[in-house]
Amino acid sequence: MGGTAVVVGGGIGGLAAALGLRRIGWEVRVVERAAVLADAGAGISLHANGLRALDAVGVGQEVRAAARPQYTGGTRTPDGRWLSRMDGRLLERELGSPIVGIPRAVLHRLLRSALPAECLLVGATVRTLDLSDPDRVGVPVGDGVLDADLVVAADGVHSRLRGLLFPDHPGVVYGGSTVLRAVTEDPVEVRTDFELTWGAGAEFGHIGFTDGRAEWHAVLNAPAGVRHTDPLGMLRGRFGGWHEPIPTLLAATRPEAVLHHDIHELVTPLPSFAAGRVALLGDAAHAMTPHLGQGACQALEDAATLAAALAGEPTVGAALTRYDAERRPRAQSVARAARQAGRMGQQLSHPLALALRNTGLRLAPSRATMRAILRHADWTPPSLV
């Protein structure tokens, strides 16, 4: 089965969906409201499931070549003591790949460069859909209408199309944490590929890149909407007494490079990831907290699964029924696990709760930590042929 598709949203999930659809013979247009596609942002970790999904849509090799494997690291306390260690070699033996770190801008560029330029329509906003014809979807864009057999709603955490398709759904809610992040201006010395440090209601982490620079992020319990006139200065005061390389990472960052976003999630699960001829994908379908590092990986799984369903089913309706059945239980389960990980990790603030958690982590065998990662990362994409 072939056809025409419009992907609304040119982020990681939307671009991967376009690649998967083109790989099975569909004509695709990607509509992105930003005037310039996102060669910005901080960094991202990709687990084996995300990399396998990238293999399925045709760009896994290129992404691996640009990424830094995460063999060393783990979780620490603010004074530098280790709570748990990560064994990237064990993950590689179990899954064929360690977790890898890559700048979001590089990942986005690799996805975009694998698409013909004429597939991309930037600086255009999709505010509504014409759903009057059960056999087609009209996508008003500018002064015209794109006609499609399928629309992929990949328009992010605050998805306009999700609200259109499910008007009675409450939408996303604030998750109780806010995140500041950046990439260092120049290479920095970090002794591990990846780290998290947990304090009271706060987390600081870093990811090393192949060029020697590093991404860092700080997640804090805070009321929604709080912003700082000097975000980097606030972070230096908040984390200045924490172990190295945290002060070094902050010192190596330009103030204007710091990004700040509140974390929103879909606490109320969607009843379906499809409606008519529209498939929801990524944050539009299952916005989750970042505490498992699975948000982008789940969007990539969506993209590969959607393409496989369309390749294997005789009609769009049958394909979207299969897509929903295969993706919704898993993605919503991962979202629940991410929420729980945040509650037991970064969001804990009571001294007794912190002491109990830290003791439990120190006493847990390393294999238990690996099992927690394997539970979500051990996923095999369906065949696209």
Side-chain angles (χ1 to χ4, degrees):
M1 176 181 61
T4 59
V6 173
V7 178
V8 181
I12 290 169
L15 292 175
L19 288 171
L21 291 170
R22 281 184 52 81
R23 201 164 205 204
I24 63 169
W26 281 58
E27 297 180 13
V28 184
R29 296 294 301 276
V30 178
V31 183
E32 166 57 42
R33 65 181 179 181
V36 178
L37 285 171
D39 284 343
I44 187 170
S45 290
L46 293 173
H47 294 241
N49 57 318
L51 292 169
R52 290 172 180 175
L54 288 166
D55 289 334
V57 302
V59 292
Q61 183 175 350
E62 293 82 356
V63 171
R64 284 180 172 85
R68 174 172 165 171
Q70 294 176 2
Y71 290 120
T72 61
T75 305
R76 305 169 77 176
T77 59
D79 62 5
R81 289 177 294 166
W82 288 99
L83 295 173
S84 65
R85 299 267 193 167
M86 180 182 69
D87 187 344
R89 298 288 180 186
L90 175 59
L91 281 176
E92 190 170 41
R93 290 194 298 271
E94 294 280 350
L95 299 174
S97 170
I99 303 169
V100 302
I102 188 171
R104 279 184 175 269
V106 172
L107 175 59
H108 195 276
R109 196 156 53 243
L110 289 170
L111 293 168
R112 191 177 72 242
S113 64
L115 289 169
E118 60 268 22
C119 285
L120 304 174
L121 178 60
V122 300
T125 299
V126 175
R127 292 184 169 84
T128 189
L129 299 174
D130 181 355
L131 304 173
S132 59
D133 185 344
D135 297 322
R136 306 287 287 173
V137 181
V139 184
V141 179
D143 296 328
V145 177
L146 299 176
D147 198 32
D149 298 299
L150 169 73
V151 169
V152 180
D155 53 340
V157 62
H158 298 289
S159 170
R160 184 190 300 267
L161 296 187
R162 181 182 61 228
L164 175 69
L165 297 169
F166 299 99
D168 296 328
H169 189 273
V172 294
V173 298
Y174 179 55
S177 301
T178 194
V179 58
L180 298 95
R181 63 186 69 181
V183 176
T184 60
E185 177 73 1
D186 298 306
V188 292
E189 183 180 354
V190 291
R191 297 184 178 181
T192 57
D193 302 314
F194 167 84
E195 281 184 18
L196 292 178
T197 300
W198 282 341
E203 169 185 298
F204 196 100
H206 77 253
I207 300 170
F209 296 146
T210 56
D211 62 4
R213 295 180 305 149
E215 183 263 8
W216 57 260
H217 71 265
V219 189
L220 302 167
N221 292 351
V226 172
R227 292 297 180 266
H228 305 274
T229 55
D230 180 11
L232 191 57
M234 181 276 294
L235 292 171
R236 286 171 176 163
R238 179 70 173 78
F239 295 100
W242 288 30
H243 66 81
E244 286 290 352
I246 293 171
T248 296
L249 290 167
L250 294 173
T253 302
R254 292 181 295 109
E256 60 270 25
V258 178
L259 305 174
H260 188 178
H261 298 98
D262 288 344
I263 296 171
H264 290 83
E265 58 172 326
L266 276 173
V267 173
T268 302
L270 284 179
S272 177
F273 283 4
R277 289 178 171 266
V278 184
L280 288 96
L281 182 147
D283 284 345
H286 46 71
M288 63 186 68
T289 69
H291 298 102
L292 289 177
Q294 275 288 334
C297 291
Q298 292 302 304
L300 292 169
E301 285 190 22
D302 292 345
T305 303
L306 177 62
L310 289 162
E313 299 296 333
T315 66
V316 170
L320 295 191
T321 297
R322 172 176 153 185
Y323 167 72
D324 176 61
E326 292 182 3
R327 287 302 305 145
R328 183 157 51 93
R330 173 167 164 80
Q332 291 178 346
S333 174
V334 173
R336 288 192 298 271
R339 186 180 311 123
Q340 183 64 21
R343 289 172 178 170
M344 298 302 295
Q346 172 263 314
Q347 292 184 327
L348 278 186
S349 58
H350 192 280
L352 179 58
L354 292 173
L356 290 172
R357 179 203 62 197
N358 292 354
T359 299
L361 283 172
R362 288 194 185 99
L363 294 177
S366 60
R367 186 71 192 186
T369 304
M370 290 300 103
R371 281 199 301 270
I373 297 174
L374 292 169
R375 185 178 304 120
H376 306 298
D378 191 8
W379 172 86
T380 300
S383 173
L384 269 63
V385 295

